[in-house]
Amino acid sequence: MDKFSRRKNVIIGVLCAIILIFTTVIQSDMYKRTAWGTKHVITVGAFSDSYWEVQNGYSYYILNDAIQRFEEQYPNVKVRFESGIMKEDYSEWLAEKMLSGDTPDVFFVLPDDFNGLAELGALKDLSDFTADDSTFDDGQFYDSAYAYGQLEGVQFALPYECAPKLMFVNKSILDREDIAMPKKDWTWNDFYEICSKVTKDTDGDGEIDQFGEVGYSWRDAFTSNGVELFNQDGTQCYLAGENTKKAVTFMDRLEECSGGVNVGSRDFDKGNVAFQPMSFSEYRAYKSYPLSVKKYSGFEWECIPMPSGPNGDNISSLDTLMVAMNRNTKNAKYAWEFMKILTYDKEIQSEIFKYSEGASVLKSVTDSDEAPQELGQHIDGSGILNQQILSDAIENAAVAPRFRNYDYAVAEIDRAINEIIEGQSNIGTELIIWNRSINRKLKNSGW
């Protein structure tokens, strides 16, 4: 072999070695985790404090764990988010991002923002993802929580965590009055009878100082009596229905039961009120020591389902934090996979019971044997919420239809109910008048 041939073979050998080394390097995890190896970056919009408006030192724990889990599965994708955004500033921050064309690929959606974002076309329709992904089964979610992310039948968001409304009961008052704890299928009649019995002047000074309830609203009454306020597309209001009339009449009776005294939530905190509807998240936040001592001292209390109306059931409303995808994202595939990690991965969802005050949106997680253990670490021993009550409350929660101007319509109904209860006119007649007015505005987009 001549000198030229030997040199040629050496060069070819060196080139092959370089190619082999280069191929090995770029296929290694180390390379993929470097800036040169990263092919995709997805951004996430999140806020730093708790959605449930309580002190929480674990605000990014779940998100960071989800990111770590995702990047282990997709080492060529980096997930980034901007930290330090408070919940009260989050909606404005997100709006500014959208206006500047820098919308995150994936972002959390507050319930009050959902309708507006969906109507503006900011949220990507997830229908194709949910239908084509063989690893995804929407039946794993609680139906009510999953429906929270729908507008006019289109799935625009996935549920992340939720909290149903439950009835807090001052057990100490009931014990003093020799009243048994209501059963889970209790009714409006049971509710009213107990409220009437416990409302009294306990110290003999001539003023009522113990009350039946505080915070029970027309929305609670409507939900528990099968009231459907609107049709699905929001073109028709049914405020004058018979179920509605019964609910408003019941609210009027409850109002009279307090003897004209303006009862506040602070009265419940002091142990002077038998019932107050609250979110499950508040149960978790204030069942923990030492907050339970600070807020509710001197009495025992527990949670049960809401009372049912004559034409309804023991159900209530549900509050749900959601996750959505930017309609114009260029990383839809990875955005969807990250959304699934946050909402559909059982290990990540189980962390909600550890690091947040809500409940998991997955039935298998909330119903699991581990859930009561996590809840047990946050309570002070005066009673553990029955796991089945929680699961049933989420599964059976009422989901209102979503449509344009929904918030304006509900605000108008709130004004109507307050005026009817405060007035002296016939309830049925007033409901008909208000119903006509609201329907005119719905038809003519009068808001």
Side-chain angles (χ1 to χ4, degrees):
M1 182 180 294
D2 58 25
K3 184 177 180 180
F4 176 77
S5 298
R6 287 197 301 270
R7 182 180 295 175
K8 181 179 179 182
N9 289 337
V10 169
I11 293 174
I12 292 174
V14 170
L15 289 175
C16 289
I18 292 174
I19 292 172
L20 178 62
I21 293 172
F22 180 75
T23 303
T24 302
V25 169
I26 65 173
Q27 289 180 345
S28 68
D29 286 343
M30 181 177 294
Y31 175 80
K32 290 178 179 179
R33 294 179 187 277
T34 66
W36 299 281
T38 300
K39 297 181 180 180
H40 301 278
V41 173
I42 62 173
T43 53
V44 178
F47 44 88
S48 62
D49 49 343
S50 171
Y51 168 66
W52 309 108
E53 299 183 354
V54 296
Q55 294 180 357
N56 187 325
Y58 307 103
S59 55
Y60 291 130
Y61 273 50
I62 304 176
L63 180 58
N64 282 328
D65 285 350
I67 291 174
Q68 179 181 350
R69 193 172 184 84
F70 176 82
E71 290 182 347
E72 287 174 353
Q73 294 183 22
Y74 301 94
N76 64 324
V77 185
K78 299 296 290 183
V79 181
R80 296 173 181 167
F81 67 92
E82 183 177 332
S83 62
I85 304 160
M86 301 299 289
K87 178 195 168 187
E88 63 182 10
D89 303 319
Y90 178 70
S91 296
E92 182 178 353
W93 173 86
L94 186 59
E96 290 175 352
K97 286 289 185 180
M98 291 178 176
L99 287 173
S100 66
D102 193 25
T103 309
D105 297 293
V106 175
F107 48 91
F108 287 91
V109 178
L110 304 178
D112 290 344
D113 297 339
F114 176 77
N115 277 22
L117 292 173
E119 291 167 0
L120 288 172
L123 309 182
K124 194 171 188 66
D125 182 351
L126 302 178
S127 301
D128 289 342
F129 295 97
T130 60
D132 298 340
D133 190 340
S134 61
T135 68
F136 181 83
D137 175 16
D138 59 26
Q140 297 297 311
F141 294 100
Y142 285 103
D143 292 341
S144 55
Y146 190 70
Y148 219 89
Q150 297 175 0
L151 178 67
E152 296 181 359
V154 178
Q155 196 74 39
F156 286 109
L158 297 181
Y160 171 70
E161 64 175 320
C162 64
K165 184 178 282 189
L166 299 166
M167 183 66 84
F168 280 43
V169 185
N170 184 322
K171 296 169 64 177
S172 298
I173 288 181
L174 269 56
D175 289 342
R176 284 200 305 269
E177 302 294 340
D178 196 26
I179 300 173
M181 273 288 293
K183 298 179 180 180
K184 65 178 183 179
D185 59 349
W186 65 316
T187 66
W188 281 359
N189 288 336
D190 301 324
F191 184 31
Y192 181 79
E193 288 176 6
I194 296 175
C195 288
S196 299
K197 186 172 182 179
V198 303
T199 302
K200 61 176 61 176
D201 170 17
T202 62
D203 57 12
D205 66 354
E207 296 183 359
I208 298 176
D209 51 34
Q210 180 174 280
F211 305 94
E213 63 82 25
V214 62
Y216 188 83
S217 70
W218 63 264
R219 297 191 191 204
D220 300 322
F222 282 20
T223 299
S224 61
N225 200 43
V227 173
E228 294 185 7
L229 266 178
F230 307 100
N231 59 1
Q232 288 299 313
D233 58 5
T235 59
Q236 191 75 26
C237 176
Y238 306 127
L239 190 61
E242 186 62 28
N243 289 358
T244 306
K245 181 179 177 181
K246 289 181 179 180
V248 177
T249 301
F250 177 67
M251 289 298 301
D252 192 41
R253 292 179 67 203
L254 274 183
E255 187 81 11
E256 295 175 353
C257 190
S258 63
V261 179
N262 185 21
V263 187
S265 60
R266 183 60 181 155
D267 292 301
F268 183 87
D269 301 348
K270 293 178 179 179
N272 299 328
V273 184
F275 300 107
Q276 181 176 8
M278 293 186 194
S279 170
F280 168 71
S281 61
E282 188 163 1
Y283 170 89
R284 292 199 61 195
Y286 291 108
K287 208 54 166 156
S288 60
Y289 180 86
L291 290 177
S292 60
V293 175
K294 291 180 179 179
K295 190 170 177 70
Y296 306 123
S297 58
F299 65 95
E300 294 186 0
W301 53 282
E302 196 49 82
C303 289
I304 59 175
M306 301 290 275
S308 66
N311 300 113
D313 208 341
N314 300 92
I315 61 175
S316 60
S317 59
L318 186 73
D319 195 1
T320 305
L321 178 63
M322 295 163 284
V323 180
M325 187 189 304
N326 174 10
R327 181 182 180 182
N328 298 315
T329 180
K330 297 179 180 180
N331 296 296
K333 172 187 174 182
Y334 294 116
W336 169 250
E337 294 300 326
F338 184 65
M339 289 176 66
K340 285 201 300 178
I341 292 285
L342 281 171
T343 65
Y344 196 71
D345 185 278
K346 293 181 181 179
E347 289 189 23
I348 295 300
Q349 276 287 304
S350 67
E351 292 189 1
I352 288 174
F353 285 113
K354 182 180 295 184
Y355 298 126
S356 184
E357 294 75 37
S360 170
V361 294
L362 295 178
K363 290 181 280 190
S364 60
V365 173
T366 297
D367 288 340
S368 69
D369 294 336
E370 290 76 21
Q373 297 175 17
E374 293 297 343
L375 289 173
Q377 294 175 9
H378 291 77
I379 65 173
D380 61 5
S382 63
I384 300 177
L385 175 64
N386 182 287
Q387 187 178 13
Q388 192 60 51
I389 288 178
L390 171 62
S391 186
D392 289 346
I394 299 174
E395 178 63 23
N396 300 319
V399 179
R402 302 291 186 87
F403 55 85
R404 187 182 300 273
N405 294 323
Y406 173 81
D407 294 333
Y408 293 104
V410 170
E412 189 75 352
I413 289 174
D414 186 62
R415 187 164 72 94
I417 302 304
N418 288 333
E419 289 192 13
I420 291 172
I421 291 177
E422 291 174 1
Q424 301 296 323
S425 301
N426 180 273
I427 291 176
T429 302
E430 288 297 307
L431 287 172
I432 292 173
I433 294 173
W434 277 100
N435 191 66
R436 290 172 179 169
S437 172
I438 294 171
N439 274 328
R440 281 196 298 269
K441 292 182 178 180
L442 287 173
K443 182 178 180 180
N444 302 319
S445 298
W447 282 290

